[in-house]
Amino acid sequence: DKWVLYAVVWGFGGSMGWARRRELGELVAARAGATLLADLSVVDLQVLVESGEWEPWNASVPRVEIESQQVTSSEVVIPTSDTMR
Protein backbone atom coordinates (compact mmCIF):
# COMPACT_ATOMS: atom_id res chain seq x y z
CA ASP A 1 0.00 0.00 0.00
CA LYS A 2 2.77 2.45 0.91
CA TRP A 3 4.61 1.78 -2.33
CA VAL A 4 1.48 2.55 -4.35
CA LEU A 5 0.90 5.83 -2.48
CA TYR A 6 4.53 6.80 -2.98
CA ALA A 7 4.42 5.93 -6.70
CA VAL A 8 1.17 7.80 -7.32
CA VAL A 9 2.34 10.96 -5.57
CA TRP A 10 5.73 11.07 -7.28
CA GLY A 11 4.44 9.76 -10.63
CA PHE A 12 1.75 12.41 -10.94
CA GLY A 13 3.26 15.08 -8.74
CA GLY A 14 6.93 14.92 -9.66
CA SER A 15 6.68 17.82 -12.09
CA MET A 16 4.49 19.93 -9.78
CA GLY A 17 5.73 22.69 -7.54
CA TRP A 18 6.41 21.84 -3.90
CA ALA A 19 3.13 23.16 -2.47
CA ARG A 20 0.95 21.38 -5.06
CA ARG A 21 2.92 18.14 -4.68
CA ARG A 22 2.41 18.30 -0.92
CA GLU A 23 -1.34 18.89 -1.42
CA LEU A 24 -1.50 15.89 -3.75
CA GLY A 25 0.32 13.75 -1.17
CA GLU A 26 -2.10 14.76 1.56
CA LEU A 27 -5.12 14.15 -0.69
CA VAL A 28 -3.95 10.72 -1.83
CA ALA A 29 -3.03 9.65 1.72
CA ALA A 30 -6.41 10.82 3.07
CA ARG A 31 -8.34 9.02 0.32
CA ALA A 32 -6.36 5.83 0.94
CA GLY A 33 -6.79 6.10 4.71
CA ALA A 34 -3.02 5.93 5.15
CA THR A 35 -1.40 6.52 8.50
CA LEU A 36 1.63 8.77 8.11
CA LEU A 37 4.19 9.94 10.61
CA ALA A 38 3.15 13.04 12.57
CA ASP A 39 2.92 16.29 10.57
CA LEU A 40 4.49 14.76 7.46
CA SER A 41 3.14 14.27 3.96
CA VAL A 42 3.96 11.46 1.53
CA VAL A 43 6.48 13.79 -0.14
CA ASP A 44 8.36 14.08 3.17
CA LEU A 45 8.70 10.31 3.48
CA GLN A 46 10.32 7.38 1.77
CA VAL A 47 9.42 3.70 2.02
CA LEU A 48 12.22 1.55 3.40
CA VAL A 49 12.93 -1.42 1.14
CA GLU A 50 13.87 -3.71 4.04
CA SER A 51 10.77 -3.21 6.18
CA GLY A 52 8.22 -1.40 3.99
CA GLU A 53 7.85 1.24 6.71
CA TRP A 54 7.78 5.02 6.30
CA GLU A 55 10.93 6.97 7.11
CA PRO A 56 11.41 10.74 6.83
CA TRP A 57 13.74 11.75 3.99
CA ASN A 58 15.82 13.87 6.35
CA ALA A 59 16.75 10.69 8.29
CA SER A 60 18.82 9.57 5.28
CA VAL A 61 20.75 12.84 4.97
CA PRO A 62 24.29 12.38 6.27
CA ARG A 63 25.78 14.96 8.59
CA VAL A 64 28.60 16.77 6.79
CA GLU A 65 31.32 18.80 8.43
CA ILE A 66 33.11 21.19 6.07
CA GLU A 67 35.97 23.50 6.73
CA SER A 68 35.53 27.23 6.17
CA GLN A 69 37.88 27.30 3.15
CA GLN A 70 35.76 24.61 1.42
CA VAL A 71 32.61 26.74 1.43
CA THR A 72 33.58 28.60 -1.74
CA SER A 73 34.65 25.44 -3.62
CA SER A 74 32.37 24.40 -6.47
CA GLU A 75 33.34 20.76 -5.89
CA VAL A 76 31.69 20.54 -2.46
CA VAL A 77 28.20 19.05 -2.49
CA ILE A 78 26.21 19.41 0.69
CA PRO A 79 23.50 16.74 0.93
CA THR A 80 20.03 17.93 1.88
CA SER A 81 16.68 16.15 2.01
CA ASP A 82 15.90 17.63 -1.43
CA THR A 83 19.10 16.31 -3.03
CA MET A 84 18.54 12.87 -1.48
CA ARG A 85 15.02 12.43 -2.94
Side-chain angles (χ1 to χ4, degrees):
D1 294 335
K2 293 174 184 169
W3 286 106
V4 173
L5 290 175
Y6 185 81
V8 167
V9 170
W10 284 101
F12 289 103
S15 63
M16 294 178 177
W18 178 253
R20 300 291 271 167
R21 188 180 314 130
R22 187 173 182 85
E23 287 176 26
L24 176 64
E26 291 169 358
L27 174 70
V28 170
R31 292 282 181 152
T35 303
L36 303 176
L37 301 178
D39 298 326
L40 296 175
S41 175
V42 175
V43 297
D44 300 319
L45 302 167
Q46 63 180 331
V47 182
L48 294 176
V49 174
E50 303 83 22
S51 64
E53 295 300 318
W54 292 117
E55 178 185 62
W57 275 106
N58 61 5
S60 62
V61 178
R63 183 174 178 91
V64 177
E65 298 289 333
I66 59 172
E67 297 174 20
S68 58
Q69 67 269 18
Q70 290 179 306
V71 173
T72 59
S73 173
S74 62
E75 296 179 12
V76 175
V77 176
I78 300 173
T80 66
S81 59
D82 289 330
T83 60
M84 299 297 291
R85 286 177 219 236

